[in-house]
Amino acid sequence: MNQTAHIYERYCKNQQRKRQRQKEIRRGFILTGIAAVLVLGFTLSYHALLSQANTELEEVSYKYYTSVRIEPGETLWALADRYADREHYASQDQYIDEVMRMNHLAGEEICAGHYLILPYYSTEFIK
């Protein structure tokens, strides 16, 4: 009977150690999860602050449209020189293509006295 009690006592101690080890493993997983959430939160906050800081430095421009009466001798190229913004159009050709599409022009010929809709950019917000 003494040996049976000793085996039972060892069995109970092993079970207790097993439960203790499982608690430690669970605690490790929980702490790792909390650490991961905190790192992710700080990383997202940091990037949000950086992106906010970068956008505040940039000047916002708005795209508008105006109707222009064509004067004698005026060309699309002259209008592009006057209205195309180098910041928003890679070339005058790109601006002229947009004007032609907007006004349904088949070619670059325009007639004096007609009106064209021209896009332009401004930093002013117009209501």
Side-chain angles (χ1 to χ4, degrees):
M1 184 154 198
N2 197 9
Q3 189 174 7
T4 307
H6 180 67
I7 291 174
Y8 182 71
E9 187 178 317
R10 247 186 354 182
Y11 172 77
C12 288
K13 283 184 181 181
N14 282 340
Q15 289 299 322
Q16 189 177 17
R17 280 191 217 126
K18 196 176 187 180
R19 281 191 298 267
Q20 185 65 28
R21 181 70 184 138
Q22 286 175 343
K23 280 183 183 178
E24 289 173 6
I25 290 172
R26 252 186 268 129
R27 187 179 306 132
F29 279 128
I30 290 171
L31 289 177
T32 302
I34 290 172
V37 167
L38 287 174
V39 167
L40 182 65
F42 285 128
T43 302
L44 291 176
S45 298
Y46 177 73
H47 287 293
L49 288 174
L50 276 182
S51 67
Q52 241 180 5
N54 289 340
T55 56
E56 289 174 5
L57 298 176
E58 294 177 15
E59 192 171 44
V60 178
S61 59
Y62 303 96
K63 187 173 188 176
Y64 296 105
Y65 301 90
T66 187
S67 177
V68 175
R69 185 172 189 265
I70 306 303
E71 299 298 325
E74 207 159 30
T75 64
L76 286 175
W77 293 95
L79 293 170
D81 279 337
R82 197 172 327 139
Y83 290 96
D85 185 348
R86 299 279 179 231
E87 196 175 311
H88 296 94
Y89 295 99
S91 67
Q92 282 186 328
D93 288 330
Q94 186 183 15
Y95 181 82
I96 290 171
D97 288 343
E98 183 176 348
V99 169
M100 288 175 65
R101 246 188 343 269
M102 285 178 15
N103 291 281
H104 306 287
L105 299 175
E108 292 182 11
E109 297 81 30
I110 53 176
C111 299
H114 288 180
Y115 286 86
L116 288 179
I117 302 296
L118 301 177
Y120 70 96
Y121 287 85
S122 175
T123 55
E124 274 187 51
F125 180 73
I126 302 172
K127 288 185 178 184

